[in-house]
PDB file of all heavy atoms in Angstrom:
ATOM      1  N   GLN J   1      -0.486   6.280   5.494  1.00 98.00           N
ATOM      2  CA  GLN J   1      -0.929   7.673   5.447  1.00 98.00           C
ATOM      3  C   GLN J   1       0.271   8.619   5.395  1.00 98.00           C
ATOM      4  O   GLN J   1       0.227   9.659   4.719  1.00 98.00           O
ATOM      5  CB  GLN J   1      -1.807   7.990   6.664  1.00 98.00           C
ATOM      6  CG  GLN J   1      -2.452   9.364   6.620  1.00 98.00           C
ATOM      7  CD  GLN J   1      -3.387   9.534   5.436  1.00 98.00           C
ATOM      8  OE1 GLN J   1      -4.245   8.686   5.174  1.00 98.00           O
ATOM      9  NE2 GLN J   1      -3.227  10.626   4.691  1.00 98.00           N
ATOM     10  N   TRP J   2       1.348   8.245   6.090  1.00 98.00           N
ATOM     11  CA  TRP J   2       2.573   9.053   6.064  1.00 98.00           C
ATOM     12  C   TRP J   2       3.069   9.207   4.630  1.00 98.00           C
ATOM     13  O   TRP J   2       3.432  10.307   4.204  1.00 98.00           O
ATOM     14  CB  TRP J   2       3.625   8.384   6.944  1.00 98.00           C
ATOM     15  CG  TRP J   2       4.895   9.161   7.144  1.00 98.00           C
ATOM     16  CD1 TRP J   2       5.221   9.963   8.202  1.00 98.00           C
ATOM     17  CD2 TRP J   2       6.030   9.214   6.260  1.00 98.00           C
ATOM     18  NE1 TRP J   2       6.475  10.512   8.035  1.00 98.00           N
ATOM     19  CE2 TRP J   2       6.991  10.062   6.851  1.00 98.00           C
ATOM     20  CE3 TRP J   2       6.315   8.631   5.038  1.00 98.00           C
ATOM     21  CZ2 TRP J   2       8.227  10.329   6.248  1.00 98.00           C
ATOM     22  CZ3 TRP J   2       7.540   8.888   4.432  1.00 98.00           C
ATOM     23  CH2 TRP J   2       8.478   9.724   5.036  1.00 98.00           C
ATOM     24  N   MET J   3       3.056   8.111   3.869  1.00 98.00           N
ATOM     25  CA  MET J   3       3.502   8.178   2.468  1.00 98.00           C
ATOM     26  C   MET J   3       2.545   9.014   1.626  1.00 98.00           C
ATOM     27  O   MET J   3       2.983   9.799   0.777  1.00 98.00           O
ATOM     28  CB  MET J   3       3.644   6.759   1.905  1.00 98.00           C
ATOM     29  CG  MET J   3       4.827   5.995   2.472  1.00 98.00           C
ATOM     30  SD  MET J   3       5.106   4.399   1.655  1.00 98.00           S
ATOM     31  CE  MET J   3       3.823   3.413   2.429  1.00 98.00           C
ATOM     32  N   LEU J   4       1.250   8.859   1.861  1.00 98.00           N
ATOM     33  CA  LEU J   4       0.280   9.675   1.128  1.00 98.00           C
ATOM     34  C   LEU J   4       0.493  11.158   1.420  1.00 98.00           C
ATOM     35  O   LEU J   4       0.435  12.001   0.509  1.00 98.00           O
ATOM     36  CB  LEU J   4      -1.147   9.271   1.515  1.00 98.00           C
ATOM     37  CG  LEU J   4      -1.631   7.894   1.046  1.00 98.00           C
ATOM     38  CD1 LEU J   4      -3.029   7.629   1.596  1.00 98.00           C
ATOM     39  CD2 LEU J   4      -1.630   7.796  -0.478  1.00 98.00           C
ATOM     40  N   ASP J   5       0.757  11.485   2.680  1.00 98.00           N
ATOM     41  CA  ASP J   5       0.972  12.882   3.062  1.00 98.00           C
ATOM     42  C   ASP J   5       2.225  13.457   2.404  1.00 98.00           C
ATOM     43  O   ASP J   5       2.314  14.665   2.177  1.00 98.00           O
ATOM     44  CB  ASP J   5       1.089  13.010   4.584  1.00 98.00           C
ATOM     45  CG  ASP J   5      -0.229  12.724   5.297  1.00 98.00           C
ATOM     46  OD1 ASP J   5      -1.286  12.743   4.623  1.00 98.00           O
ATOM     47  OD2 ASP J   5      -0.199  12.458   6.514  1.00 98.00           O
ATOM     48  N   LYS J   6       3.191  12.596   2.098  1.00 98.00           N
ATOM     49  CA  LYS J   6       4.415  13.024   1.419  1.00 98.00           C
ATOM     50  C   LYS J   6       4.214  13.163  -0.088  1.00 98.00           C
ATOM     51  O   LYS J   6       5.123  13.604  -0.800  1.00 98.00           O
ATOM     52  CB  LYS J   6       5.553  12.038   1.693  1.00 98.00           C
ATOM     53  CG  LYS J   6       6.033  12.022   3.136  1.00 98.00           C
ATOM     54  CD  LYS J   6       6.708  13.340   3.517  1.00 98.00           C
ATOM     55  CE  LYS J   6       7.203  13.302   4.958  1.00 98.00           C
ATOM     56  NZ  LYS J   6       7.865  14.578   5.344  1.00 98.00           N
ATOM     57  N   GLY J   7       3.049  12.745  -0.580  1.00 98.00           N
ATOM     58  CA  GLY J   7       2.734  12.935  -1.987  1.00 98.00           C
ATOM     59  C   GLY J   7       2.933  11.730  -2.867  1.00 98.00           C
ATOM     60  O   GLY J   7       2.834  11.835  -4.100  1.00 98.00           O
ATOM     61  N   MET J   8       3.184  10.548  -2.282  1.00 98.00           N
ATOM     62  CA  MET J   8       3.367   9.354  -3.100  1.00 98.00           C
ATOM     63  C   MET J   8       2.035   8.914  -3.703  1.00 98.00           C
ATOM     64  O   MET J   8       0.974   9.035  -3.084  1.00 98.00           O
ATOM     65  CB  MET J   8       3.963   8.222  -2.262  1.00 98.00           C
ATOM     66  CG  MET J   8       4.310   6.987  -3.081  1.00 98.00           C
ATOM     67  SD  MET J   8       5.295   5.814  -2.150  1.00 98.00           S
ATOM     68  CE  MET J   8       5.257   4.412  -3.272  1.00 98.00           C
ATOM     69  N   THR J   9       2.104   8.384  -4.929  1.00 98.00           N
ATOM     70  CA  THR J   9       0.909   7.956  -5.655  1.00 98.00           C
ATOM     71  C   THR J   9       0.842   6.435  -5.711  1.00 98.00           C
ATOM     72  O   THR J   9       1.826   5.772  -6.057  1.00 98.00           O
ATOM     73  CB  THR J   9       0.921   8.506  -7.095  1.00 98.00           C
ATOM     74  OG1 THR J   9       0.976   9.935  -7.046  1.00 98.00           O
ATOM     75  CG2 THR J   9      -0.311   8.062  -7.861  1.00 98.00           C
ATOM     76  N   PHE J  10      -0.327   5.889  -5.386  1.00 98.00           N
ATOM     77  CA  PHE J  10      -0.566   4.449  -5.474  1.00 98.00           C
ATOM     78  C   PHE J  10      -1.614   4.203  -6.557  1.00 98.00           C
ATOM     79  O   PHE J  10      -2.678   4.826  -6.553  1.00 98.00           O
ATOM     80  CB  PHE J  10      -1.044   3.895  -4.135  1.00 98.00           C
ATOM     81  CG  PHE J  10       0.003   3.921  -3.055  1.00 98.00           C
ATOM     82  CD1 PHE J  10       0.198   5.068  -2.289  1.00 98.00           C
ATOM     83  CD2 PHE J  10       0.799   2.810  -2.811  1.00 98.00           C
ATOM     84  CE1 PHE J  10       1.169   5.104  -1.295  1.00 98.00           C
ATOM     85  CE2 PHE J  10       1.772   2.842  -1.813  1.00 98.00           C
ATOM     86  CZ  PHE J  10       1.960   3.987  -1.062  1.00 98.00           C
ATOM     87  N   HIS J  11      -1.313   3.291  -7.471  1.00 98.00           N
ATOM     88  CA  HIS J  11      -2.218   2.992  -8.581  1.00 98.00           C
ATOM     89  C   HIS J  11      -3.010   1.729  -8.243  1.00 98.00           C
ATOM     90  O   HIS J  11      -2.533   0.607  -8.423  1.00 98.00           O
ATOM     91  CB  HIS J  11      -1.419   2.800  -9.871  1.00 98.00           C
ATOM     92  CG  HIS J  11      -0.666   4.022 -10.286  1.00 98.00           C
ATOM     93  ND1 HIS J  11      -1.233   5.030 -11.049  1.00 98.00           N
ATOM     94  CD2 HIS J  11       0.609   4.420 -10.025  1.00 98.00           C
ATOM     95  CE1 HIS J  11      -0.340   5.979 -11.255  1.00 98.00           C
ATOM     96  NE2 HIS J  11       0.788   5.641 -10.645  1.00 98.00           N
ATOM     97  N   PHE J  12      -4.229   1.934  -7.756  1.00 98.00           N
ATOM     98  CA  PHE J  12      -5.054   0.827  -7.289  1.00 98.00           C
ATOM     99  C   PHE J  12      -6.034   0.353  -8.360  1.00 98.00           C
ATOM    100  O   PHE J  12      -6.400   1.098  -9.278  1.00 98.00           O
ATOM    101  CB  PHE J  12      -5.846   1.236  -6.043  1.00 98.00           C
ATOM    102  CG  PHE J  12      -5.000   1.457  -4.820  1.00 98.00           C
ATOM    103  CD1 PHE J  12      -5.137   2.623  -4.070  1.00 98.00           C
ATOM    104  CD2 PHE J  12      -4.078   0.507  -4.411  1.00 98.00           C
ATOM    105  CE1 PHE J  12      -4.376   2.834  -2.934  1.00 98.00           C
ATOM    106  CE2 PHE J  12      -3.307   0.704  -3.275  1.00 98.00           C
ATOM    107  CZ  PHE J  12      -3.449   1.871  -2.535  1.00 98.00           C
ATOM    108  N   GLY J  13      -6.446  -0.917  -8.219  1.00 97.00           N
ATOM    109  CA  GLY J  13      -7.471  -1.502  -9.063  1.00 97.00           C
ATOM    110  C   GLY J  13      -8.362  -2.400  -8.225  1.00 97.00           C
ATOM    111  O   GLY J  13      -8.167  -2.544  -7.013  1.00 97.00           O
ATOM    112  N   ALA J  14      -9.335  -3.032  -8.874  1.00 94.00           N
ATOM    113  CA  ALA J  14     -10.329  -3.808  -8.135  1.00 94.00           C
ATOM    114  C   ALA J  14      -9.928  -5.267  -7.924  1.00 94.00           C
ATOM    115  O   ALA J  14     -10.197  -5.845  -6.868  1.00 94.00           O
ATOM    116  CB  ALA J  14     -11.677  -3.741  -8.861  1.00 94.00           C
ATOM    117  N   ASP J  15      -9.287  -5.895  -8.921  1.00 95.00           N
ATOM    118  CA  ASP J  15      -9.002  -7.323  -8.876  1.00 95.00           C
ATOM    119  C   ASP J  15      -7.623  -7.564  -8.264  1.00 95.00           C
ATOM    120  O   ASP J  15      -6.603  -7.267  -8.877  1.00 95.00           O
ATOM    121  CB  ASP J  15      -9.036  -7.907 -10.284  1.00 95.00           C
ATOM    122  CG  ASP J  15      -8.768  -9.399 -10.313  1.00 95.00           C
ATOM    123  OD1 ASP J  15      -8.632 -10.010  -9.226  1.00 95.00           O
ATOM    124  OD2 ASP J  15      -8.668  -9.964 -11.423  1.00 95.00           O
ATOM    125  N   PRO J  16      -7.532  -8.102  -7.041  1.00 95.00           N
ATOM    126  CA  PRO J  16      -6.229  -8.281  -6.387  1.00 95.00           C
ATOM    127  C   PRO J  16      -5.306  -9.254  -7.112  1.00 95.00           C
ATOM    128  O   PRO J  16      -4.099  -9.239  -6.879  1.00 95.00           O
ATOM    129  CB  PRO J  16      -6.606  -8.804  -4.996  1.00 95.00           C
ATOM    130  CG  PRO J  16      -7.965  -9.401  -5.154  1.00 95.00           C
ATOM    131  CD  PRO J  16      -8.641  -8.576  -6.206  1.00 95.00           C
ATOM    132  N   LYS J  17      -5.870 -10.091  -7.989  1.00 94.00           N
ATOM    133  CA  LYS J  17      -5.022 -11.030  -8.731  1.00 94.00           C
ATOM    134  C   LYS J  17      -4.198 -10.336  -9.810  1.00 94.00           C
ATOM    135  O   LYS J  17      -3.164 -10.865 -10.238  1.00 94.00           O
ATOM    136  CB  LYS J  17      -5.887 -12.127  -9.357  1.00 94.00           C
ATOM    137  CG  LYS J  17      -6.512 -13.068  -8.335  1.00 94.00           C
ATOM    138  CD  LYS J  17      -7.308 -14.177  -9.019  1.00 94.00           C
ATOM    139  CE  LYS J  17      -7.908 -15.124  -7.992  1.00 94.00           C
ATOM    140  NZ  LYS J  17      -8.700 -16.215  -8.648  1.00 94.00           N
ATOM    141  N   GLU J  18      -4.655  -9.182 -10.243  1.00 95.00           N
ATOM    142  CA  GLU J  18      -3.949  -8.470 -11.304  1.00 95.00           C
ATOM    143  C   GLU J  18      -3.652  -7.015 -10.962  1.00 95.00           C
ATOM    144  O   GLU J  18      -2.795  -6.396 -11.592  1.00 95.00           O
ATOM    145  CB  GLU J  18      -4.765  -8.515 -12.600  1.00 95.00           C
ATOM    146  CG  GLU J  18      -4.955  -9.912 -13.169  1.00 95.00           C
ATOM    147  CD  GLU J  18      -3.642 -10.554 -13.605  1.00 95.00           C
ATOM    148  OE1 GLU J  18      -2.690  -9.817 -13.933  1.00 95.00           O
ATOM    149  OE2 GLU J  18      -3.561 -11.805 -13.610  1.00 95.00           O
ATOM    150  N   ALA J  19      -4.332  -6.462  -9.978  1.00 97.00           N
ATOM    151  CA  ALA J  19      -4.192  -5.045  -9.656  1.00 97.00           C
ATOM    152  C   ALA J  19      -3.700  -4.855  -8.227  1.00 97.00           C
ATOM    153  O   ALA J  19      -3.875  -5.722  -7.363  1.00 97.00           O
ATOM    154  CB  ALA J  19      -5.533  -4.331  -9.845  1.00 97.00           C
ATOM    155  N   LEU J  20      -3.083  -3.708  -7.995  1.00 98.00           N
ATOM    156  CA  LEU J  20      -2.673  -3.338  -6.650  1.00 98.00           C
ATOM    157  C   LEU J  20      -3.900  -2.913  -5.848  1.00 98.00           C
ATOM    158  O   LEU J  20      -4.761  -2.196  -6.361  1.00 98.00           O
ATOM    159  CB  LEU J  20      -1.669  -2.191  -6.708  1.00 98.00           C
ATOM    160  CG  LEU J  20      -1.104  -1.708  -5.373  1.00 98.00           C
ATOM    161  CD1 LEU J  20      -0.276  -2.792  -4.698  1.00 98.00           C
ATOM    162  CD2 LEU J  20      -0.256  -0.443  -5.579  1.00 98.00           C
ATOM    163  N   THR J  21      -3.984  -3.378  -4.607  1.00 98.00           N
ATOM    164  CA  THR J  21      -5.086  -2.986  -3.732  1.00 98.00           C
ATOM    165  C   THR J  21      -4.528  -2.353  -2.469  1.00 98.00           C
ATOM    166  O   THR J  21      -3.377  -2.577  -2.086  1.00 98.00           O
ATOM    167  CB  THR J  21      -5.957  -4.198  -3.356  1.00 98.00           C
ATOM    168  OG1 THR J  21      -5.165  -5.118  -2.580  1.00 98.00           O
ATOM    169  CG2 THR J  21      -6.488  -4.897  -4.607  1.00 98.00           C
ATOM    170  N   GLU J  22      -5.367  -1.583  -1.819  1.00 98.00           N
ATOM    171  CA  GLU J  22      -4.950  -0.952  -0.563  1.00 98.00           C
ATOM    172  C   GLU J  22      -4.593  -2.011   0.475  1.00 98.00           C
ATOM    173  O   GLU J  22      -3.655  -1.837   1.262  1.00 98.00           O
ATOM    174  CB  GLU J  22      -6.053  -0.038  -0.051  1.00 98.00           C
ATOM    175  CG  GLU J  22      -5.642   0.799   1.147  1.00 98.00           C
ATOM    176  CD  GLU J  22      -6.732   1.744   1.601  1.00 98.00           C
ATOM    177  OE1 GLU J  22      -7.559   1.325   2.455  1.00 98.00           O
ATOM    178  OE2 GLU J  22      -6.761   2.883   1.106  1.00 98.00           O
ATOM    179  N   GLU J  23      -5.309  -3.111   0.484  1.00 98.00           N
ATOM    180  CA  GLU J  23      -5.028  -4.179   1.446  1.00 98.00           C
ATOM    181  C   GLU J  23      -3.607  -4.719   1.278  1.00 98.00           C
ATOM    182  O   GLU J  23      -2.911  -5.007   2.258  1.00 98.00           O
ATOM    183  CB  GLU J  23      -6.044  -5.315   1.271  1.00 98.00           C
ATOM    184  CG  GLU J  23      -5.870  -6.443   2.283  1.00 98.00           C
ATOM    185  CD  GLU J  23      -6.884  -7.567   2.088  1.00 98.00           C
ATOM    186  OE1 GLU J  23      -7.660  -7.499   1.112  1.00 98.00           O
ATOM    187  OE2 GLU J  23      -6.881  -8.504   2.906  1.00 98.00           O
ATOM    188  N   GLN J  24      -3.163  -4.862   0.026  1.00 98.00           N
ATOM    189  CA  GLN J  24      -1.796  -5.326  -0.212  1.00 98.00           C
ATOM    190  C   GLN J  24      -0.782  -4.335   0.371  1.00 98.00           C
ATOM    191  O   GLN J  24       0.212  -4.729   0.998  1.00 98.00           O
ATOM    192  CB  GLN J  24      -1.552  -5.499  -1.712  1.00 98.00           C
ATOM    193  CG  GLN J  24      -2.338  -6.630  -2.354  1.00 98.00           C
ATOM    194  CD  GLN J  24      -2.278  -6.581  -3.868  1.00 98.00           C
ATOM    195  OE1 GLN J  24      -1.418  -5.927  -4.454  1.00 98.00           O
ATOM    196  NE2 GLN J  24      -3.211  -7.278  -4.530  1.00 98.00           N
ATOM    197  N   VAL J  25      -1.025  -3.049   0.163  1.00 98.00           N
ATOM    198  CA  VAL J  25      -0.095  -2.029   0.664  1.00 98.00           C
ATOM    199  C   VAL J  25      -0.098  -2.004   2.191  1.00 98.00           C
ATOM    200  O   VAL J  25       0.957  -1.839   2.818  1.00 98.00           O
ATOM    201  CB  VAL J  25      -0.456  -0.645   0.085  1.00 98.00           C
ATOM    202  CG1 VAL J  25       0.399   0.448   0.723  1.00 98.00           C
ATOM    203  CG2 VAL J  25      -0.281  -0.647  -1.426  1.00 98.00           C
ATOM    204  N   ILE J  26      -1.248  -2.189   2.804  1.00 98.00           N
ATOM    205  CA  ILE J  26      -1.305  -2.227   4.273  1.00 98.00           C
ATOM    206  C   ILE J  26      -0.467  -3.390   4.801  1.00 98.00           C
ATOM    207  O   ILE J  26       0.278  -3.243   5.789  1.00 98.00           O
ATOM    208  CB  ILE J  26      -2.769  -2.347   4.764  1.00 98.00           C
ATOM    209  CG1 ILE J  26      -3.563  -1.089   4.384  1.00 98.00           C
ATOM    210  CG2 ILE J  26      -2.818  -2.575   6.270  1.00 98.00           C
ATOM    211  CD1 ILE J  26      -2.982   0.204   4.895  1.00 98.00           C
ATOM    212  N   ASP J  27      -0.533  -4.548   4.145  1.00 98.00           N
ATOM    213  CA  ASP J  27       0.306  -5.673   4.565  1.00 98.00           C
ATOM    214  C   ASP J  27       1.790  -5.369   4.353  1.00 98.00           C
ATOM    215  O   ASP J  27       2.639  -5.790   5.142  1.00 98.00           O
ATOM    216  CB  ASP J  27      -0.079  -6.945   3.799  1.00 98.00           C
ATOM    217  CG  ASP J  27      -1.242  -7.690   4.442  1.00 98.00           C
ATOM    218  OD1 ASP J  27      -1.567  -7.389   5.614  1.00 98.00           O
ATOM    219  OD2 ASP J  27      -1.830  -8.569   3.779  1.00 98.00           O
ATOM    220  N   GLN J  28       2.121  -4.633   3.285  1.00 98.00           N
ATOM    221  CA  GLN J  28       3.516  -4.230   3.093  1.00 98.00           C
ATOM    222  C   GLN J  28       3.969  -3.280   4.196  1.00 98.00           C
ATOM    223  O   GLN J  28       5.116  -3.367   4.662  1.00 98.00           O
ATOM    224  CB  GLN J  28       3.677  -3.561   1.719  1.00 98.00           C
ATOM    225  CG  GLN J  28       3.568  -4.538   0.546  1.00 98.00           C
ATOM    226  CD  GLN J  28       3.736  -3.844  -0.789  1.00 98.00           C
ATOM    227  OE1 GLN J  28       2.929  -2.989  -1.145  1.00 98.00           O
ATOM    228  NE2 GLN J  28       4.788  -4.198  -1.517  1.00 98.00           N
ATOM    229  N   CYS J  29       3.086  -2.400   4.636  1.00 98.00           N
ATOM    230  CA  CYS J  29       3.431  -1.508   5.742  1.00 98.00           C
ATOM    231  C   CYS J  29       3.608  -2.292   7.035  1.00 98.00           C
ATOM    232  O   CYS J  29       4.465  -1.944   7.874  1.00 98.00           O
ATOM    233  CB  CYS J  29       2.366  -0.425   5.904  1.00 98.00           C
ATOM    234  SG  CYS J  29       2.354   0.792   4.551  1.00 98.00           S
ATOM    235  N   ARG J  30       2.823  -3.332   7.210  1.00 98.00           N
ATOM    236  CA  ARG J  30       3.032  -4.218   8.361  1.00 98.00           C
ATOM    237  C   ARG J  30       4.433  -4.840   8.304  1.00 98.00           C
ATOM    238  O   ARG J  30       5.145  -4.905   9.309  1.00 98.00           O
ATOM    239  CB  ARG J  30       1.976  -5.336   8.369  1.00 98.00           C
ATOM    240  CG  ARG J  30       0.594  -4.954   8.858  1.00 98.00           C
ATOM    241  CD  ARG J  30      -0.234  -6.210   9.082  1.00 98.00           C
ATOM    242  NE  ARG J  30      -1.505  -5.926   9.717  1.00 98.00           N
ATOM    243  CZ  ARG J  30      -2.673  -5.850   9.077  1.00 98.00           C
ATOM    244  NH1 ARG J  30      -2.710  -6.028   7.758  1.00 98.00           N
ATOM    245  NH2 ARG J  30      -3.784  -5.597   9.736  1.00 98.00           N
ATOM    246  N   MET J  31       4.809  -5.312   7.114  1.00 98.00           N
ATOM    247  CA  MET J  31       6.125  -5.930   6.968  1.00 98.00           C
ATOM    248  C   MET J  31       7.234  -4.921   7.236  1.00 98.00           C
ATOM    249  O   MET J  31       8.250  -5.252   7.867  1.00 98.00           O
ATOM    250  CB  MET J  31       6.295  -6.537   5.576  1.00 98.00           C
ATOM    251  CG  MET J  31       7.562  -7.399   5.453  1.00 98.00           C
ATOM    252  SD  MET J  31       8.017  -7.808   3.749  1.00 98.00           S
ATOM    253  CE  MET J  31       6.603  -8.780   3.237  1.00 98.00           C
ATOM    254  N   TYR J  32       7.059  -3.712   6.763  1.00 98.00           N
ATOM    255  CA  TYR J  32       8.039  -2.651   7.017  1.00 98.00           C
ATOM    256  C   TYR J  32       8.244  -2.443   8.516  1.00 98.00           C
ATOM    257  O   TYR J  32       9.383  -2.410   9.017  1.00 98.00           O
ATOM    258  CB  TYR J  32       7.580  -1.363   6.344  1.00 98.00           C
ATOM    259  CG  TYR J  32       8.237  -0.108   6.863  1.00 98.00           C
ATOM    260  CD1 TYR J  32       9.558   0.187   6.540  1.00 98.00           C
ATOM    261  CD2 TYR J  32       7.533   0.777   7.690  1.00 98.00           C
ATOM    262  CE1 TYR J  32      10.171   1.343   7.027  1.00 98.00           C
ATOM    263  CE2 TYR J  32       8.131   1.932   8.173  1.00 98.00           C
ATOM    264  CZ  TYR J  32       9.449   2.212   7.846  1.00 98.00           C
ATOM    265  OH  TYR J  32      10.048   3.340   8.331  1.00 98.00           O
ATOM    266  N   ILE J  33       7.167  -2.299   9.235  1.00 98.00           N
ATOM    267  CA  ILE J  33       7.254  -2.077  10.683  1.00 98.00           C
ATOM    268  C   ILE J  33       7.899  -3.273  11.367  1.00 98.00           C
ATOM    269  O   ILE J  33       8.772  -3.125  12.245  1.00 98.00           O
ATOM    270  CB  ILE J  33       5.853  -1.789  11.258  1.00 98.00           C
ATOM    271  CG1 ILE J  33       5.337  -0.456  10.715  1.00 98.00           C
ATOM    272  CG2 ILE J  33       5.859  -1.796  12.784  1.00 98.00           C
ATOM    273  CD1 ILE J  33       3.850  -0.218  10.940  1.00 98.00           C
ATOM    274  N   ALA J  34       7.504  -4.481  10.973  1.00 98.00           N
ATOM    275  CA  ALA J  34       8.080  -5.689  11.558  1.00 98.00           C
ATOM    276  C   ALA J  34       9.584  -5.773  11.285  1.00 98.00           C
ATOM    277  O   ALA J  34      10.368  -6.130  12.169  1.00 98.00           O
ATOM    278  CB  ALA J  34       7.378  -6.924  10.996  1.00 98.00           C
ATOM    279  N   ALA J  35       9.999  -5.427  10.066  1.00 98.00           N
ATOM    280  CA  ALA J  35      11.417  -5.495   9.705  1.00 98.00           C
ATOM    281  C   ALA J  35      12.239  -4.505  10.523  1.00 98.00           C
ATOM    282  O   ALA J  35      13.342  -4.831  10.988  1.00 98.00           O
ATOM    283  CB  ALA J  35      11.584  -5.219   8.210  1.00 98.00           C
TER     284      ALA J  35
END
């Protein structure tokens, strides 16, 4: 949400095998916090 509030754009699609999904980004945010 912090990134969204800063104006970053995420290009999402329905099929996780070929498209970016919100779930993938949430896991990346988990990795960021862990790192």
Side-chain angles (χ1 to χ4, degrees):
Q1 187 62 49
W2 186 97
M3 289 187 282
L4 291 176
D5 292 343
K6 292 293 181 180
M8 186 169 170
T9 301
F10 292 85
H11 298 274
F12 292 130
D15 181 4
K17 292 183 179 180
E18 296 296 334
L20 182 65
T21 64
E22 188 177 90
E23 183 180 5
Q24 292 168 18
V25 173
I26 295 303
D27 275 345
Q28 289 180 297
C29 290
R30 283 192 172 101
M31 190 194 297
Y32 162 74
I33 294 166

